[in-house]
Amino acid sequence: AELPLLWRLCLALVNYGYSVTVLDATTCESETNPGLEQLLDDVHMGGVSHAEVSEWAVLPAARAVHGMCARPEKKSEHLQQIGRLFPQYGVVILYSRAEWIVSLAGGCAIDPLLVVSPTRNSLLTGYQALKRLLLNGKLQPTIVNVQTEQMARSGVTNLGECAKNFLGYETRSINIITPAGEEP
């Protein structure tokens, strides 16, 4: 459910005049597909100090983010490095697993988005991610429930209801209803 929403969010931000960089921590950097790891290496070697300006860039970031997560005592330094890489960008989005967001940004003043669809698997993985973000990271995500019109009419339980019932936590939720012909 999250990828179509991520692309629409990026497009909307670009249409509002922001430059957007998505650090995709689900994709590994390589020699043929360079990303955040190579940008960080270039900075350490005295080379490039920031990414090239573009309206919308998606960079592989799995190795770099995983490496940063392995050194939680340097969390502040890691976030500053990322901030220095993209000073001209209006928005930097980290697309990542919840446990890496907790390790890299836990306790910070950010509000992650947690996107779920009403499928059983999505609710279960979303609930696990919510618990990690809340309990381990002290982060309060906004839940985005992506549903089709048909699912919305059926009254499918959303993650916000599960959080209230089982964690005693009142979430901030956004319901996005897509027309029946579109992918949720």
Side-chain angles (χ1 to χ4, degrees):
E2 71 272 1
L3 286 177
L5 178 65
L6 176 61
W7 300 146
R8 287 181 179 171
L9 179 62
C10 290
L11 182 60
L13 289 167
V14 167
N15 287 339
Y16 280 115
Y18 294 99
S19 295
V20 178
T21 298
V22 176
L23 300 177
D24 182 358
T26 66
T27 303
C28 287
E29 305 90 325
S30 68
E31 288 183 26
T32 58
N33 193 21
L36 182 59
E37 182 179 53
Q38 287 75 17
L39 285 175
L40 291 170
D41 286 345
D42 284 346
V43 170
H44 291 126
M45 300 300 273
V48 179
S49 61
H50 55 78
E52 291 182 25
V53 176
S54 69
E55 287 185 342
W56 181 0
V58 179
L59 298 174
R63 288 181 174 176
V65 170
H66 186 260
M68 290 176 177
C69 291
R71 311 264 333 254
E73 71 279 2
K74 293 191 172 206
K75 175 174 45 178
S76 179
E77 184 180 319
H78 296 315
L79 293 174
Q80 289 175 0
Q81 283 180 306
I82 291 172
R84 283 191 299 268
L85 281 175
F86 307 104
Q88 74 283 1
Y89 282 48
V91 179
V92 176
I93 297 172
L94 174 60
Y95 176 64
S96 178
R97 298 171 13 191
E99 56 267 18
W100 288 3
I101 291 173
V102 166
S103 180
L104 189 60
C108 293
I110 65 165
D111 294 330
L113 290 180
L114 178 57
V115 182
V116 294
S117 70
T119 64
R120 183 178 185 94
N121 187 42
S122 181
L123 288 173
L124 290 173
T125 58
Y127 180 76
Q128 291 171 337
L130 177 62
K131 277 181 66 174
R132 285 187 184 109
L133 292 169
L134 285 171
L135 302 178
N136 299 342
K138 308 297 184 239
L139 298 169
Q140 297 182 1
T142 297
I143 309 299
V144 180
N145 293 300
V146 180
Q147 306 173 356
T148 63
E149 292 170 339
Q150 181 181 19
M151 290 173 179
R153 284 192 300 270
S154 70
V156 175
T157 302
N158 66 43
L159 184 56
E161 292 173 10
C162 292
K164 185 176 182 179
N165 293 335
F166 299 110
L167 296 173
Y169 179 74
E170 191 73 40
T171 63
R172 293 177 306 229
S173 297
I174 299 171
N175 293 316
I176 296 178
I177 299 173
T178 60
E182 288 188 31
E183 284 289 319

